[in-house]
C-alpha cells in the first residue's frame, strides 16, 4: 500500500498534470456539431480555469471527435456538450496477437491511477480481424489483473458524487482491430443524453443529443418562441429551455469521472458554479418567451408538468393537452419562432397506419399557420420528407435503429 502523498504526486504527474487523448462519441450525422462543441469547450476552459492550456488536435473520426487536453477540461466537456453520447479517455494502444502479450500490456498500466479502488469496471470487448477474437475470454484475462491492482493497492475510497450515494458505473472499453488493441475508459458513466431531468418518460422519446443538434441547426436564440406541439416527454422543450438560458446540458447529473482518483473536485465545482452564475436562470426582470408544449396524450402532459418542477428554468414551459391541428400560434416577428416536431412514426409506435398522409397534413398545417417560423421536423424517410411539401432541406441522422431525416428550414420561404 502506498502512502497517500506519494500517491497524490503520482496522480498529478501522470494523470491531472499532463494532456491525454479523449474521444467524444456522437451519433452519426452529428460530428460537425460535435466538433464545434469541442472547440467551444476549449474557449470555456480557458475562461473558467484561467489556463492557457486548452484543447488541441481536434480530429473528426468515424463515430466521433478525438481531442487532446487535460483531464479537468475533458470533465468540463462532459458537462458542456449537448451532442456527444459519451466521452472516452484513451488509456493505451498496443499490438497483441496472443493472451500472453495482452496480459503483459494490461499489467503495464497503472490502473490504480485511473480507476477508483475497490470496484471492478465493466469490461466491454469488441474485436475485428484479430487473432484474439473471443470477447469473454479477453475480458476474463483482464479482470484478475485489474482486481489485483484495484483491490490491493489502495485503501477504500469514499464516494461523494453529486446526486448519488452509490459509486457511478465504470466501464473499460477494449477494441481490437487487426491485432491492435485500444483501451479506453468511459468518463461519462450513464450516456450523456440522459440529462438527469425527466422524472418519467412516455414512449418513443427523442434522444436529447438529437433534439440539441436540431435546435443548434436552427440557431435557437433566447428571443425565439419555441413551439413543441407533439411534445411527448418534452425533450425539445427541456433542451430548448436550457439552451436559451445557457444552462449546460450536464448541470443536473453526475459522471463516472467524479469517482476517479485524478478528479479535481475543486476545479470542477468552481466550473459548475461559474456556469450556473452565467446562466440566465433569473426569469424575473425580462422574462424569456414561453415554450408552447402540446400533446394529445394527457399522461405525457402530466409527466412533463412534473418534470418542469425540477428547476425554475423549466417553468417557462407550458404543457397543455391539445391537438396540434387545433393550435393557433402567437404572431412572431423576424422569424423568431421555432416549431419542432417529432411525430409518431415507424416501428416504435403502432397507432399510426398512414404515416405519409400524417406528414402531408402536418405540412399543410405548418404552411397555413406557421409562416415565417423556423422548423425542424423529424421524418422516418424521404417519402415523409417529401409529403411535407415545405421546400425544406434535410439533415440525416440515425436514431432508435432507424435512418431518419430532419426537415430543416423556414416555413413559407
Ligand atoms: C414520437 S412521440 C414524440 C416524442 C417526443 N419528442 C419526446 O421526446 O418525448 C409523438 C407524440 O406526438 C403525440 N401526438 C400525435 N398526434 C398528435 C396531435 N395531432 N397533436 C398533438 N400531439 C400528437 C403523441 O401523443 C406522442 O406523444
Amino acid at each position: 500500500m502506498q502512502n497517500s502523498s506519494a500517491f497524490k504526486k503520482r496522480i498529478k504527474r501522470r494523470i491531472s498534470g499532463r494532456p491525454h487523448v479523449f474521444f467524444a462519441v456522437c451519433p452519426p450525422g452529428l460530428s460537425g456539431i460535435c466538433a464545434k462543441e469541442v472547440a467551444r469547450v476549449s474557449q470555456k476552459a480557458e475562461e473558467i480555469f484561467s489556463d492557457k492550456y486548452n484543447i488541441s488536435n481536434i480530429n473528426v473520426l468515424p463515430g466521433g471527435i478525438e481531442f487532446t487536453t487535460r483531464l479537468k477540461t475533458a470533465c468540463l466537456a462532459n458537462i458542456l456538450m449537448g451532442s456527444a453520447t459519451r466521452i472516452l479517455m484513451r488509456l493505451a494502444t498496443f499490438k497483441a496477437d496472443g493472451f500472453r502479450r495482452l496480459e503483459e500490456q494490461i499489467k503495464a498500466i497503472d490502473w490504480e491511477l485511473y480507476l477508483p479502488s475497490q470496484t471492478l469496471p465493466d469490461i466491454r470487448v469488441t474485436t475485428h480481424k484479430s487473432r484474439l477474437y473471443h470477447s469473454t475470454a479477453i475480458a476474463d484475462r483482464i479482470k484478475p489483473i485489474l482486481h489485483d491492482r484495484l483491490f490491493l493497492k489502495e485503501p477504500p475510497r469514499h464516494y461523494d458524487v453529486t446526486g448519488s450515494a452509490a459509486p457511478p458505473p465504470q466501464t473499460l472499453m477494449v477494441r481490437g482491430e487487426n491485432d491492435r488493441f485500444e483501451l479506453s475508459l468511459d468518463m461519462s458513466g450513464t450516456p450523456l443524453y440522459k440529462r438527469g431531468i425527466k422524472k418519467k418518460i412516455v414512449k418513443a422519446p427523442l434522444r436529447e443529443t438529437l433534439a440539441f443538434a436540431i435546435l443548434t441547426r436552427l440557431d435557437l436564440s433566447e428571443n425565439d418562441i419555441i413551439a413543441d406541439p407533439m411534445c411527448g416527454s418534452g425533450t425539445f422543450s427541456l433542451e430548448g429551455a436550457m439552451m436559451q438560458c445557457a444552462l449546460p446540458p450536464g448541470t443536473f447529473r453526475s459522471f463516472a469521472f467524479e469517482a476517479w482518483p485524478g478528479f479535481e473536485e475543486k476545479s470542477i465545482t468552481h466550473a459548475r458554479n461559474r456556469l450556473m452564475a452565467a446562466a440566465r436562470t433569473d426569469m424575473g426582470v425580462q422574462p424569456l418567451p414561453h415554450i408552447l408544449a402540446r400533446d394529445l396524450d394527457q399522461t405525457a402532459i402530466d409527466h412533463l408538468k412534473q418534470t418542469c418542477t425540477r428547476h425554475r428554468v423549466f417553468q417557462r414551459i407550458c404543457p397543455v393537452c391539445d391537438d396540434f391541428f387545433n393550435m393557433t400560434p402567437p404572431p412572431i416577428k423576424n422569424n423568431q419562432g421555432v416549431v419542432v416536431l417529432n411525430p409518431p412514426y415507424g416501428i416504435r409506435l403502432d397507432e399510426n397506419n398512414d404515416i405519409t398522409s400524417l406528414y402531408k397534413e402536418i405540412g399543410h398545417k405548418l404552411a397555413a399557420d406557421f409562416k415565417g417560423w423556423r422548423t425542424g421536423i423529424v421524418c422516418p424517410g424521404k417519402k415523409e420528407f417529401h409529403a411535407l411539401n415545405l421546400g425544406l432541406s434535410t439533415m440525416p441522422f440515425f436514431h432508435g435503429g432507424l435512418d431518419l431525416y430532419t426537415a430543416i428550414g423556414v416555413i413559407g420561404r
Side-chain angles (χ1 to χ4, degrees), residues 198 201-208 211 228-236 294-297 300 322-325 341-345 348-349 351 358:
K198 287 178 184 162
I201 50 167
V202 287
K203 58 186 168 178
L206 189 67
R207 288 243 166 110
E208 282 70 3
D228 181 10
M230 294 188 178
C231 65
S233 320
T235 314
F236 278 126
R294 303 284 181 267
D295 203 288
L296 276 183
D297 180 353
D322 200 2
D323 189 336
F324 160 60
F325 294 100
L341 283 130
N342 173 29
Y345 54 76
R348 299 188 305 136
L349 288 173
E351 72 251 34
L358 173 66

Side-chain angles (χ1 to χ4, degrees), residues 6 36 87 117 124 168 196 241 256 307:
K36 280 192 193 144
I87 300 180
S117 60
R124 285 196 208 149
T307 301

